Amino acid sequence: MLLHRFGSICSGRRTKVVVPAFALGCSLVLMTGCAPKNEFVAPPPPSVVVAPPYQGEVTVYTPVGGQTSARDSVEIRARVSGYLESVDFTPGSTVKTGDLLFTIEPQLYEAALQSSKGQLDSANASRDLAQTTYQRNEQLFTSDAISELDLLRSQAELELSEASVSQAEAAVESASLDLGYTKIYAPLTGRISRERVTVGNLVGSGEPTLLATIVQMDPMDIYINIDERTLLTFLKEYGQKRSTDMKGSTVLLELSDGTVYSRKGRVDYVSNRLDSATGTLEMRVSFPNPDGTLIPGLYGKVLFPNTYDDAIVVPEECIQMDMTGNYVLVVNSENVVETRYIEKGPLVDEGRVVTEGLGADEHVIVNGIQRARPGITVTPQNPS
């Protein structure tokens, strides 16, 4: 029958094809039996980058703020009165001990010196005459040619003339000093300020006039005050001997722009007691400054080094925190993520020092932390 009806369609006659119900059911059963099953396939474990912590020697610096100060500073003042005749230096330059700085008109003091020398010559002549007179009267007295009173009078005149000589000598010395003060020389080597008084002005009248200042530039000091907590940290980290006798310790200086001064300094003074009012200990650190890079008044931080021989260091971004504390995620031997709670130490160039809670052989997750959580399996990879 089916062939007969299929042939009718092919011959072009409009014959309705009737498909039996049992044939359609068999076709559906056959189609359903051949389709694949819809089963769940688990995704692969997430990939994370792991690395062991850095272990080795690291240096931690404890900063203490302070201000630079010249080791020595001198105010140049006029010690005699007179008109300023010349300024013999370049303002802001470095002067050496003995360099001529100022000249005050010397004519008045030269004349005073010559007058004092004349008075001394007169006093010497009077003393010589008195000496001769006394010697002659001694001879006359032995021959009873003069009385004892005349001898005593001549002796008194001799002593008076000798006193006049001493007074005249002191006047010559004073006049010589005043003349010397008309030329003012540098008492130390250092950088000089600008002149405070210009040529032609009267100086030293009534009080010593400030003419300039000189500050010693090499070495340059910085005074610091270490608070009690930092001092106790030193006692713990540096050791008892070093903390109680820190004189001679080598330190660095960080300037206000964040750069570190190229030369190392040395602690050359430590106060013998803690200031009870401020709770601080005063120290002075000396830095070589041959090229004058440091100037008085700069603010900076003195960096006290502390070296850890076998420190364990991890990147700072690996450390997370929850209600329990700080922790890092590690991958164990079965590639399962675990939590390691740690104690954070100081921050260094290599990262963060871990003082407790992490071993040097752990595999710390350093990248892909957002894809990891404790208890899941991951695919660890080495850093590229």
Side-chain angles (χ1 to χ4, degrees):
M1 181 184 293
L2 291 176
L3 291 175
H4 173 74
R5 292 182 178 177
F6 181 75
S8 298
I9 293 174
C10 291
S11 63
R13 290 180 296 179
R14 295 179 178 271
T15 303
K16 184 176 182 182
V17 179
V18 179
V19 179
F22 76 91
L24 181 60
C26 291
S27 299
L28 293 175
V29 171
L30 291 174
M31 292 176 62
T32 303
C34 295
K37 294 182 178 180
N38 186 12
E39 295 180 354
F40 173 77
V41 179
S47 296
V48 295
V49 179
V50 298
Y54 168 81
Q55 184 178 25
E57 180 181 292
V58 296
T59 301
V60 179
Y61 294 94
T62 302
V64 180
Q67 188 175 13
T68 56
S69 176
R71 173 64 61 90
D72 199 0
S73 177
V74 176
E75 292 183 342
I76 307 300
R77 294 183 178 270
R79 301 184 65 174
V80 293
S81 177
Y83 289 97
L84 191 62
E85 189 173 88
S86 66
V87 176
D88 304 290
F89 65 91
T90 301
S93 64
T94 298
V95 296
K96 297 181 179 180
T97 303
D99 286 352
L100 179 63
L101 304 179
F102 297 95
T103 300
I104 300 172
E105 57 173 358
Q107 292 80 4
L108 179 64
Y109 299 98
E110 289 174 347
L113 178 60
Q114 293 301 321
S115 176
S116 299
K117 288 181 177 179
Q119 293 177 2
L120 177 60
D121 292 339
S122 176
N124 283 329
S126 298
R127 182 194 59 187
D128 293 342
L129 177 60
Q131 178 70 33
T132 302
T133 300
Y134 176 70
Q135 292 174 352
R136 187 196 63 181
N137 287 344
E138 278 188 320
Q139 295 175 355
L140 294 175
F141 178 73
T142 57
S143 61
D144 293 332
I146 61 172
S147 65
E148 182 180 3
L149 180 61
D150 293 332
L151 178 62
L152 293 175
R153 185 179 291 111
S154 62
Q155 182 180 5
E157 291 176 353
L158 175 59
E159 293 175 351
L160 182 61
S161 62
E162 289 177 344
S164 297
V165 169
S166 297
Q167 186 176 5
E169 289 175 343
V172 169
E173 184 176 359
S174 177
S176 179
L177 287 173
D178 287 344
L179 179 60
Y181 291 149
T182 61
K183 291 187 178 297
I184 302 173
Y185 300 91
L188 56 80
T189 298
R191 186 175 296 175
I192 192 168
S193 69
R194 65 176 179 85
E195 68 277 15
R196 301 294 181 179
V197 181
T198 56
V199 172
N201 283 283
L202 181 64
V203 297
S205 179
E207 62 179 13
T209 305
L210 177 63
L211 302 178
T213 57
I214 301 176
V215 293
Q216 184 180 8
M217 302 297 292
D218 187 23
M220 184 63 64
D221 295 333
I222 181 168
Y223 285 89
I224 58 176
N225 292 280
I226 298 180
D227 62 89
E228 189 172 351
R229 175 175 293 183
T230 304
L231 181 61
L232 293 175
T233 301
F234 285 161
L235 289 172
K236 178 181 178 181
E237 295 182 351
Y238 286 87
Q240 182 71 21
K241 181 177 180 181
R242 183 172 179 181
S243 296
T244 55
D245 187 14
M246 296 188 68
K247 188 175 182 180
S249 300
T250 302
V251 296
L252 300 177
L253 176 62
E254 180 183 341
L255 301 176
S256 58
D257 62 353
T259 60
V260 177
Y261 183 57
S262 59
R263 292 178 171 85
K264 295 180 179 180
R266 189 173 297 274
V267 178
D268 65 358
Y269 166 74
V270 180
S271 178
N272 58 0
R273 63 179 179 178
L274 203 71
D275 189 335
S276 59
T278 62
T280 59
L281 183 72
E282 184 183 51
M283 292 186 185
R284 183 181 65 197
V285 184
S286 178
F287 288 89
N289 190 36
D291 52 2
T293 301
L294 301 178
I295 60 175
L298 291 177
Y299 288 93
K301 297 177 182 177
V302 176
L303 305 178
F304 288 85
N306 183 27
T307 301
Y308 292 83
D309 295 328
D310 294 312
I312 294 178
V313 184
V314 298
E316 177 72 7
E317 57 271 17
C318 297
I319 302 176
Q320 303 180 72
M321 185 175 65
D322 60 13
M323 297 295 292
T324 304
N326 296 295
Y327 68 92
V328 294
L329 296 178
V330 301
V331 177
N332 63 19
S333 59
E334 298 178 354
N335 294 340
V336 177
V337 178
E338 295 181 353
T339 302
R340 294 287 186 273
Y341 284 97
I342 62 172
E343 290 293 332
K344 291 172 58 175
L347 190 64
V348 295
D349 292 338
E350 296 83 355
R352 175 72 67 173
V353 175
V354 176
T355 58
E356 292 182 11
L358 188 66
D361 56 347
E362 301 273 18
H363 293 82
V364 181
I365 299 179
V366 296
N367 197 354
I369 299 176
Q370 69 278 6
R371 296 190 295 270
R373 65 179 186 275
I376 70 170
T377 301
V378 294
T379 302
Q381 296 179 352
N382 295 326
S384 56

